Amino acid sequence: MTKELIIHSAPDGVDIALLENKQLVELHQERHNNRFTVGDIYLGKIKKVMPGLNAAFVDVQHEKDAFLHYTDLSPDIRSLMKFTGQCVAGNLSPEQMLNGFEFQPEIQKTGNVKDVLSNKHSLLVQILKEPISTKGPRLTCEISIAGRFLVLTPFNNTVGVSKKIDSSEERKRLKVLVESLKPKNFGVIVRTVAAGKGATELHQDLITLQDKWQLMMRNLKHVNPVTKVLSEVDKTQSFLRDLLSPQFHKIVTDDPVIAKDIEEYLKRVAPDKQGIVSCYTGKNPIFDTFQITKQIKASFGKTVTIPSGSYLIIEKTEALHVIDVNSGHRSTMEGDQESNALKVNMEAAEEIGRQLRLRDLGGIIVIDFIDMKNPEHKRILQQKMKEVMEKDRSTHTILPLSKFNLMQITRERVKPEINISTTEACPSCGGTGQINASLLLIDQIENDLNHLLNTHTSLKLYCHPIVAAYLRKGFPSLRMKWWMEHKKWIRIYPNEDFGITEFKFFDDNDEEIKIS
């Protein structure tokens, strides 16, 4: 499988498309006005403590106060609060890290928020989920700083290794290696991409994370809440950090600055990949050249067609997303009904997995597959869905098919879902659903023509191809009748983008003539 990253820079932000074997599987939009990104760390201010919800609302400069539940406080919340206070007061040196820091007792897992937090106190928090709909950000006090191979977690001394690394020997090697490198009073999580990496690469990544921690400590000194004290890397670098793999063979952007930044980033983390970056200079939009615009239009509507002929209906309610699988003209294929249903469902599962990643759907998703009675077929379909979802980086749970052939999936959502309108306003009616009587179209053209020929010696008429053909065909044609009446030849050009009743006049300089 080959992966490509296509990056389009626009005045309001950046659009990032991930292609797998030329097929669009993820689309991310980073807007300049988005101030709340997952991973950003703030010195917030507690506005309300709600014992009934076992949660607190924290001011992080969003129009809605951010939500912090007790379960997201971290067992070491008291150590974090003490550390924050000392940093703000300037009593801790960044170079000191956490050396000599005196830990506080851990809180109980089943305690109440009112026993830990109080109103008006400042608190170091990290964005766990971006603002979604009418809700503010969701926060956590379990601070972590992510790198290419490692994740740094303060106030503990544990080393965890990703379970996705299959080899037990490799996991053991990485754990021993990282334990010898990590700073005191810090825990480290070893990411999947660290498999096979040596001490030099891991140590360099760890140094980068320590530098970020020290930068955060410097930013905390004498600062007043509410302030962002450490920013997550931009979306492009975050994407590369999490996804860069040997399968990546092309990164293309239409912004020279972004191209240079990516090259600098790859120079640090993957020098062998520098050559895959290029800057697009073509005349057509970059997303059009790589067929991304077409795939977006085909993938984001209510109805999604599968190449085999079946299709999906995707709808959103307040509580969940519903996906209905329809066989389309596949229902006419040969074979017994049960086998045909399995084939359609298997193809639909592949596309559904892609749609969940592409639209970044979250919460509860209910899929209405085509009915199957064979228990083995149901098991095969569930296994297929699990295999498809293995590519999904979001945390998810897949339940077996119910007796009504419904499958329930829960998928973590940390940012608003991608929602792109694939419809366009009708050029004839302007979206009103009504047009002028087509019977009067020729009369309207001739009225405007009579008016314009008083002031213009030459005219060009652009209209729908069917109308153009009607005006030019026959003997005598309408255009010949106009010539005999006005002694001026009207040049007629068909335009497929025009609505059936749409027409425009242009002069010899190809400037549109507006008729008031």
Side-chain angles (χ1 to χ4, degrees):
M1 179 175 63
T2 59
K3 294 184 179 181
E4 301 172 67
L5 207 60
I6 312 300
I7 305 168
H8 166 57
S9 178
D12 61 339
V14 175
D15 295 328
I16 305 169
L18 174 64
L19 307 181
E20 292 180 356
N21 295 334
K22 303 296 182 181
Q23 185 180 45
L24 180 66
V25 294
E26 290 189 30
L27 182 66
H28 298 265
Q29 298 175 331
E30 180 182 18
R31 295 294 171 254
H32 297 320
N33 60 358
N34 182 19
R35 298 184 295 112
F36 301 92
T37 302
V38 174
D40 286 348
I41 299 176
Y42 283 80
L43 180 64
K45 190 170 186 178
I46 301 171
K47 299 297 290 290
K48 293 179 183 177
V49 176
M50 309 289 287
L53 296 175
N54 205 14
F57 288 95
V58 183
D59 180 12
V60 290
Q61 291 187 329
H62 187 264
E63 57 186 19
K64 295 277 188 178
D65 288 337
F67 183 79
L68 175 65
H69 194 267
Y70 182 88
T71 54
D72 294 316
L73 284 184
S74 164
D76 302 294
I77 180 64
R78 291 195 172 99
S79 296
L80 177 66
M81 294 170 71
K82 178 182 177 181
F83 164 82
T84 305
Q86 291 184 355
C87 281
V88 172
N91 297 333
L92 284 180
S93 168
E95 291 72 22
Q96 184 180 349
M97 297 288 286
L98 289 177
N99 290 329
F101 181 79
E102 185 179 346
F103 279 43
Q104 300 299 300
E106 294 185 357
I107 62 173
Q108 297 179 355
K109 291 183 179 180
T110 56
N112 195 284
V113 67
K114 65 181 175 57
D115 300 324
V116 182
L117 303 180
S118 59
N119 291 340
K120 311 304 180 184
H121 281 186
S122 58
L123 187 65
L124 196 66
V125 292
Q126 189 167 26
I127 303 294
L128 186 63
K129 290 185 180 181
E130 294 179 13
I132 298 173
S133 185
T134 58
K135 299 177 182 178
R138 179 153 185 173
L139 306 176
T140 179
C141 289
E142 297 193 66
I143 306 297
S144 63
I145 303 176
R148 173 83 177 114
F149 305 118
L150 308 172
V151 179
L152 192 67
T153 58
F155 309 112
N156 68 78
N157 284 289
T158 60
V159 174
V161 182
S162 170
K163 294 180 181 178
K164 292 183 180 180
I165 299 177
D166 297 327
S167 171
S168 58
E169 292 183 1
E170 178 63 8
R171 288 201 300 271
K172 184 177 179 180
R173 181 190 74 87
L174 288 169
K175 185 169 184 177
V176 171
L177 180 57
V178 171
E179 281 179 341
S180 66
L181 296 174
K182 77 174 189 66
K184 186 179 179 181
N185 294 333
F186 281 90
V188 174
I189 301 171
V190 183
R191 308 184 72 176
T192 308
V193 290
K197 301 301 178 183
T200 303
E201 293 167 297
L202 298 181
H203 188 224
Q204 184 57 51
D205 198 40
L206 196 54
I207 289 174
T208 303
L209 298 180
Q210 291 177 229
D211 290 342
K212 288 186 177 182
W213 177 262
Q214 291 172 344
L215 173 62
M216 186 196 73
M217 291 181 68
R218 284 191 287 271
N219 292 340
L220 275 171
K221 187 176 181 179
H222 303 312
V223 74
N224 294 319
V226 175
T227 306
K228 183 190 291 187
V229 293
L230 188 68
S231 294
E232 170 68 304
V233 295
D234 63 60
K235 190 80 75 177
T236 305
Q237 290 192 16
S238 172
F239 211 66
L240 288 172
R241 180 192 68 196
D242 296 341
L243 285 179
L244 190 63
S245 65
Q247 288 81 21
F248 262 96
H249 79 286
K250 183 185 290 185
I251 299 175
V252 186
T253 176
D254 53 7
D255 189 324
V257 176
I258 293 178
K260 186 176 180 181
D261 289 345
I262 294 174
E263 286 179 344
E264 290 294 325
Y265 177 76
L266 292 178
K267 185 178 180 180
R268 295 195 309 271
V269 303
D272 59 311
K273 288 289 184 182
Q274 276 185 271
I276 68 175
V277 183
S278 62
C279 189
Y280 175 78
T281 56
K283 293 182 179 180
N284 295 325
I286 186 171
F287 272 18
D288 291 355
T289 300
F290 287 90
Q291 301 292 308
I292 295 171
T293 303
K294 184 177 180 180
Q295 291 193 56
I296 289 173
K297 292 290 185 182
S299 301
F300 277 90
K302 176 181 175 180
T303 301
V304 178
T305 303
I306 300 173
S308 65
S310 52
Y311 61 95
L312 309 176
I313 303 293
I314 303 177
E315 294 187 289
K316 177 183 178 181
T317 72
E318 188 67 25
L320 46 79
H321 292 86
V322 180
I323 302 177
D324 183 34
V325 179
N326 293 274
S327 58
H329 60 69
R330 288 295 299 270
S331 59
T332 61
M333 62 185 178
E334 297 180 359
D336 64 279
Q337 181 179 353
E338 186 75 13
S339 298
N340 291 342
L342 177 61
K343 289 178 183 178
V344 172
N345 286 338
M346 295 287 277
E347 292 172 351
E350 192 81 39
E351 180 62 26
I352 289 169
R354 171 176 170 260
Q355 286 290 326
L356 297 186
R357 293 172 65 191
L358 185 57
R359 303 185 186 213
D360 203 9
L361 302 184
I364 300 173
I365 300 112
V366 177
I367 307 168
D368 183 9
F369 283 105
I370 296 174
D371 288 350
M372 297 187 300
K373 297 180 180 178
N374 190 326
E376 179 63 14
H377 287 176
K378 292 184 177 183
R379 188 196 64 78
I380 292 173
L381 179 58
Q382 185 187 7
Q383 185 59 35
K384 174 68 173 179
M385 200 73 226
K386 288 181 177 180
E387 291 173 4
V388 170
M389 295 288 285
E390 282 180 357
K391 303 174 186 176
D392 198 332
R393 292 177 293 139
S394 294
T395 304
H396 58 269
T397 303
I398 302 172
L399 298 183
L401 281 167
S402 71
K403 66 178 181 179
F404 300 115
N405 276 274
L406 298 178
M407 180 180 286
Q408 298 177 63
I409 298 177
T410 60
R411 186 174 183 272
E412 181 185 33
R413 181 172 61 174
V414 297
K415 60 187 181 68
E417 68 184 64
I418 301 290
N419 187 16
I420 296 176
S421 175
T422 58
T423 60
E424 300 175 355
C426 171
S428 296
C429 70
T432 64
Q434 297 178 328
I435 61 173
N436 294 329
S438 56
L439 184 66
L440 303 177
L441 176 62
I442 302 303
D443 289 343
Q444 293 170 355
I445 293 175
E446 289 184 336
N447 288 338
D448 290 349
L449 187 65
N450 292 334
H451 172 72
L452 293 175
L453 286 176
N454 293 325
T455 55
H456 294 78
T457 57
S458 179
L459 291 175
K460 300 177 184 178
L461 172 62
Y462 287 80
C463 55
H464 190 275
I466 293 177
V467 177
Y470 177 77
L471 296 175
R472 293 186 298 195
K473 300 296 180 181
F475 186 84
S477 66
L478 276 173
R479 179 168 59 173
M480 292 182 67
K481 290 180 179 179
W482 295 341
W483 181 83
M484 288 187 287
E485 180 179 352
H486 301 285
K487 304 303 179 187
K488 294 178 182 178
W489 188 253
I490 309 301
R491 287 167 287 176
I492 300 174
Y493 299 94
N495 191 320
E496 294 182 354
D497 292 334
F498 278 32
I500 189 69
T501 61
E502 186 180 9
F503 65 92
K504 293 180 181 179
F505 286 100
F506 289 80
D507 60 21
D508 284 334
N509 296 321
D510 287 324
E511 293 184 1
E512 184 182 351
I513 304 171
K514 300 287 187 180
I515 300 178
S516 56

